[in-house]
Amino acid sequence: MTDPLKPWDGEQVRIWLERRFEASRLDQAAADRRGHEARDDYDKAAAEEWVCRALRHGDCTQEQAAFAGRLKELIGQDEYPATSIHDDIRFERHVRSHLRKLAKMTKVNEGFGKTLHYQ
């Protein structure tokens, strides 16, 4: 059984964010090469990159409560400015989806050890 009181590891969260950032960049490049039919994949990868970029720098990863607060702040934003995306509405929907996923991971403090490219 897993230990439900596992301590928060800010370094592991930063590593996870860095790896997801790099994976999203690779996913964007792959979708861009596939062309028009991969626009949704491109926007989804761009949204993940935006989320990781917004969270990976700064001190918010040091403590679980600070990270959760930053996520709540980002979820509450009205818009997420980005360039070179195909559909603003779809992009914002994907950003919110990634933020909610991270909020759930933060709440239960699980999933940050999974650093493989595909999740």
Side-chain angles (χ1 to χ4, degrees), residues 33-99:
R33 284 191 300 273
R34 287 196 327 262
H36 184 74
E37 73 277 352
R39 289 183 303 169
D40 186 51
D41 293 339
Y42 183 91
D43 288 346
K44 188 174 186 177
E48 185 172 17
E49 178 191 2
W50 190 96
V51 168
C52 291
R53 184 183 311 258
L55 294 169
R56 71 184 180 148
H57 297 298
D59 295 333
C60 69
T61 60
Q62 293 298 331
E63 296 179 15
Q64 188 174 8
F67 193 67
R70 178 69 176 133
L71 285 168
K72 188 174 182 178
E73 178 183 305
L74 289 172
I75 290 171
Q77 279 185 218
D78 288 333
E79 55 186 40
Y80 305 96
T83 58
S84 73
I85 55 174
H86 298 285
D87 185 338
D88 290 338
I89 295 170
R90 181 173 45 209
F91 172 78
E92 289 183 6
R93 185 175 62 236
H94 289 311
V95 167
R96 284 190 179 89
S97 170
H98 284 296
L99 288 170

Side-chain angles (χ1 to χ4, degrees), residues 96-111:
R96 284 190 179 89
S97 170
H98 284 296
L99 288 170
R100 284 191 304 271
K101 172 187 168 187
L102 275 172
K104 287 178 186 176
M105 288 172 61
T106 302
K107 184 176 181 178
V108 296
N109 192 16
E110 284 185 6

